[in-house]
Amino acid sequence: QVQLVESGGGLVQAGASLKLSCTASGRTDDVYKMGWFRQAPGKQREFVGFIGWSNDNSYLPNSVKGRFTISKDNAKNTGYLQMTTLKPEDTAIYYCAAGRGGLTAGAYDYWGRGTQVTVSS
């Protein structure tokens, strides 16, 4: 089992930045990729990006590319989602996930509980 704990969410104004963290514990050898997803009220969970756990390869969809970046610190077993130029439409619960990884939620075996990000206009 892998346990994931997100932190760093909060309430910010449009245009601000936030950096989310996700710390993994347990069987981290089962982590091939760390992914980030978000879910806004009434909407489906949306893929935000992933990073390879044993390399620095990352992928972000066009919807957030250029504003969001993903990084990690293996020594701390922690991944990061840096978000800049936040918009009200970025308001959602942000989840990190770990496992084989991919573009869909089903590609991840482990999930954190999420952290709320609220962007006011």
Side-chain angles (χ1 to χ4, degrees):
Q1 291 290 325
V2 176
Q3 294 78 43
L4 301 170
V5 178
E6 303 98 335
S7 62
L11 170 63
V12 298
Q13 289 190 328
S17 299
L18 269 180
K19 187 173 185 177
L20 307 183
S21 301
C22 176
T23 300
S25 60
R27 292 178 57 88
T28 55
D29 286 348
D30 289 346
V31 180
Y32 292 92
K33 290 184 176 67
M34 178 176 280
W36 289 91
F37 290 78
R38 65 185 180 184
Q39 189 163 18
K43 295 189 176 181
Q44 290 189 334
R45 193 164 294 192
E46 178 188 7
F47 170 72
V48 176
F50 69 67
I51 189 165
W53 203 241
S54 62
N55 56 54
D56 289 331
N57 294 336
S58 64
Y59 173 83
L60 293 93
N62 289 336
S63 58
V64 299
K65 190 181 295 184
R67 296 192 300 123
F68 292 9
T69 57
I70 295 177
S71 62
K72 63 181 173 65
D73 184 338
N74 288 100
K76 297 181 179 179
N77 280 335
T78 299
Y80 304 98
L81 177 66
Q82 175 71 57
M83 305 182 292
T84 64
T85 320
L86 282 162
K87 306 174 182 179
E89 51 263 43
D90 293 318
T91 295
I93 299 174
Y94 283 71
Y95 299 89
C96 70
R100 295 164 289 117
L103 305 183
T104 61
Y108 296 85
D109 303 303
Y110 307 102
W111 290 82
R113 292 189 174 186
T115 185
Q116 177 71 48
V117 172
T118 303
V119 184
S120 64
S121 57

PDB file of all heavy atoms in Angstrom, residues 11-24:
ATOM      1  N   LEU A  11      -7.358  29.445  -0.275  1.00  0.00           N
ATOM      2  CA  LEU A  11      -8.145  30.451  -0.980  1.00  0.00           C
ATOM      3  C   LEU A  11      -7.211  31.547  -1.450  1.00  0.00           C
ATOM      4  O   LEU A  11      -6.483  32.139  -0.631  1.00  0.00           O
ATOM      5  CB  LEU A  11      -9.206  31.019  -0.032  1.00  0.00           C
ATOM      6  CG  LEU A  11      -9.982  32.245  -0.519  1.00  0.00           C
ATOM      7  CD1 LEU A  11     -10.799  31.909  -1.761  1.00  0.00           C
ATOM      8  CD2 LEU A  11     -10.894  32.771   0.596  1.00  0.00           C
ATOM      9  N   VAL A  12      -7.218  31.800  -2.748  1.00  0.00           N
ATOM     10  CA  VAL A  12      -6.369  32.840  -3.323  1.00  0.00           C
ATOM     11  C   VAL A  12      -7.171  33.657  -4.312  1.00  0.00           C
ATOM     12  O   VAL A  12      -8.233  33.243  -4.773  1.00  0.00           O
ATOM     13  CB  VAL A  12      -5.120  32.248  -4.030  1.00  0.00           C
ATOM     14  CG1 VAL A  12      -4.236  31.504  -3.046  1.00  0.00           C
ATOM     15  CG2 VAL A  12      -5.531  31.347  -5.177  1.00  0.00           C
ATOM     16  N   GLN A  13      -6.625  34.804  -4.660  1.00  0.00           N
ATOM     17  CA  GLN A  13      -7.260  35.640  -5.671  1.00  0.00           C
ATOM     18  C   GLN A  13      -6.769  35.242  -7.060  1.00  0.00           C
ATOM     19  O   GLN A  13      -5.676  34.669  -7.204  1.00  0.00           O
ATOM     20  CB  GLN A  13      -6.947  37.104  -5.408  1.00  0.00           C
ATOM     21  CG  GLN A  13      -7.647  37.675  -4.175  1.00  0.00           C
ATOM     22  CD  GLN A  13      -7.502  39.176  -4.073  1.00  0.00           C
ATOM     23  OE1 GLN A  13      -6.492  39.737  -4.490  1.00  0.00           O
ATOM     24  NE2 GLN A  13      -8.500  39.822  -3.508  1.00  0.00           N
ATOM     25  N   ALA A  14      -7.543  35.562  -8.053  1.00  0.00           N
ATOM     26  CA  ALA A  14      -7.150  35.297  -9.434  1.00  0.00           C
ATOM     27  C   ALA A  14      -5.805  35.956  -9.720  1.00  0.00           C
ATOM     28  O   ALA A  14      -5.544  37.072  -9.280  1.00  0.00           O
ATOM     29  CB  ALA A  14      -8.214  35.816 -10.389  1.00  0.00           C
ATOM     30  N   GLY A  15      -4.970  35.214 -10.428  1.00  0.00           N
ATOM     31  CA  GLY A  15      -3.642  35.703 -10.754  1.00  0.00           C
ATOM     32  C   GLY A  15      -2.567  35.254  -9.787  1.00  0.00           C
ATOM     33  O   GLY A  15      -1.369  35.385 -10.084  1.00  0.00           O
ATOM     34  N   ALA A  16      -2.983  34.722  -8.638  1.00  0.00           N
ATOM     35  CA  ALA A  16      -2.014  34.283  -7.638  1.00  0.00           C
ATOM     36  C   ALA A  16      -1.429  32.918  -8.002  1.00  0.00           C
ATOM     37  O   ALA A  16      -1.834  32.282  -8.984  1.00  0.00           O
ATOM     38  CB  ALA A  16      -2.686  34.224  -6.274  1.00  0.00           C
ATOM     39  N   SER A  17      -0.488  32.491  -7.176  1.00  0.00           N
ATOM     40  CA  SER A  17       0.152  31.184  -7.352  1.00  0.00           C
ATOM     41  C   SER A  17      -0.044  30.353  -6.095  1.00  0.00           C
ATOM     42  O   SER A  17      -0.212  30.889  -4.988  1.00  0.00           O
ATOM     43  CB  SER A  17       1.656  31.354  -7.617  1.00  0.00           C
ATOM     44  OG  SER A  17       1.880  32.088  -8.793  1.00  0.00           O
ATOM     45  N   LEU A  18      -0.012  29.046  -6.274  1.00  0.00           N
ATOM     46  CA  LEU A  18      -0.054  28.103  -5.172  1.00  0.00           C
ATOM     47  C   LEU A  18       0.826  26.926  -5.521  1.00  0.00           C
ATOM     48  O   LEU A  18       0.939  26.555  -6.697  1.00  0.00           O
ATOM     49  CB  LEU A  18      -1.469  27.588  -4.926  1.00  0.00           C
ATOM     50  CG  LEU A  18      -2.400  28.300  -3.958  1.00  0.00           C
ATOM     51  CD1 LEU A  18      -3.747  27.584  -3.914  1.00  0.00           C
ATOM     52  CD2 LEU A  18      -1.803  28.416  -2.576  1.00  0.00           C
ATOM     53  N   LYS A  19       1.432  26.326  -4.506  1.00  0.00           N
ATOM     54  CA  LYS A  19       2.221  25.123  -4.722  1.00  0.00           C
ATOM     55  C   LYS A  19       1.666  24.024  -3.841  1.00  0.00           C
ATOM     56  O   LYS A  19       1.677  24.136  -2.610  1.00  0.00           O
ATOM     57  CB  LYS A  19       3.692  25.363  -4.395  1.00  0.00           C
ATOM     58  CG  LYS A  19       4.600  24.203  -4.766  1.00  0.00           C
ATOM     59  CD  LYS A  19       6.065  24.572  -4.562  1.00  0.00           C
ATOM     60  CE  LYS A  19       7.007  23.478  -5.038  1.00  0.00           C
ATOM     61  NZ  LYS A  19       8.426  23.879  -4.892  1.00  0.00           N
ATOM     62  N   LEU A  20       1.158  22.989  -4.475  1.00  0.00           N
ATOM     63  CA  LEU A  20       0.636  21.839  -3.748  1.00  0.00           C
ATOM     64  C   LEU A  20       1.738  20.800  -3.577  1.00  0.00           C
ATOM     65  O   LEU A  20       2.596  20.646  -4.446  1.00  0.00           O
ATOM     66  CB  LEU A  20      -0.538  21.221  -4.486  1.00  0.00           C
ATOM     67  CG  LEU A  20      -1.684  22.154  -4.862  1.00  0.00           C
ATOM     68  CD1 LEU A  20      -2.806  21.355  -5.528  1.00  0.00           C
ATOM     69  CD2 LEU A  20      -2.195  22.916  -3.668  1.00  0.00           C
ATOM     70  N   SER A  21       1.685  20.110  -2.465  1.00  0.00           N
ATOM     71  CA  SER A  21       2.627  19.027  -2.188  1.00  0.00           C
ATOM     72  C   SER A  21       1.869  17.734  -2.002  1.00  0.00           C
ATOM     73  O   SER A  21       0.717  17.727  -1.561  1.00  0.00           O
ATOM     74  CB  SER A  21       3.433  19.332  -0.917  1.00  0.00           C
ATOM     75  OG  SER A  21       4.157  20.525  -1.035  1.00  0.00           O
ATOM     76  N   CYS A  22       2.526  16.638  -2.329  1.00  0.00           N
ATOM     77  CA  CYS A  22       1.962  15.314  -2.108  1.00  0.00           C
ATOM     78  C   CYS A  22       3.083  14.416  -1.616  1.00  0.00           C
ATOM     79  O   CYS A  22       4.042  14.158  -2.348  1.00  0.00           O
ATOM     80  CB  CYS A  22       1.365  14.764  -3.389  1.00  0.00           C
ATOM     81  SG  CYS A  22       0.742  13.067  -3.235  1.00  0.00           S
ATOM     82  N   THR A  23       2.963  13.972  -0.382  1.00  0.00           N
ATOM     83  CA  THR A  23       3.988  13.127   0.214  1.00  0.00           C
ATOM     84  C   THR A  23       3.531  11.685   0.245  1.00  0.00           C
ATOM     85  O   THR A  23       2.418  11.391   0.715  1.00  0.00           O
ATOM     86  CB  THR A  23       4.333  13.605   1.626  1.00  0.00           C
ATOM     87  OG1 THR A  23       4.820  14.952   1.551  1.00  0.00           O
ATOM     88  CG2 THR A  23       5.405  12.722   2.261  1.00  0.00           C
ATOM     89  N   ALA A  24       4.377  10.820  -0.268  1.00  0.00           N
ATOM     90  CA  ALA A  24       4.068   9.396  -0.331  1.00  0.00           C
ATOM     91  C   ALA A  24       4.786   8.647   0.783  1.00  0.00           C
ATOM     92  O   ALA A  24       5.903   8.992   1.166  1.00  0.00           O
ATOM     93  CB  ALA A  24       4.485   8.836  -1.685  1.00  0.00           C
TER      94      ALA A  24
END
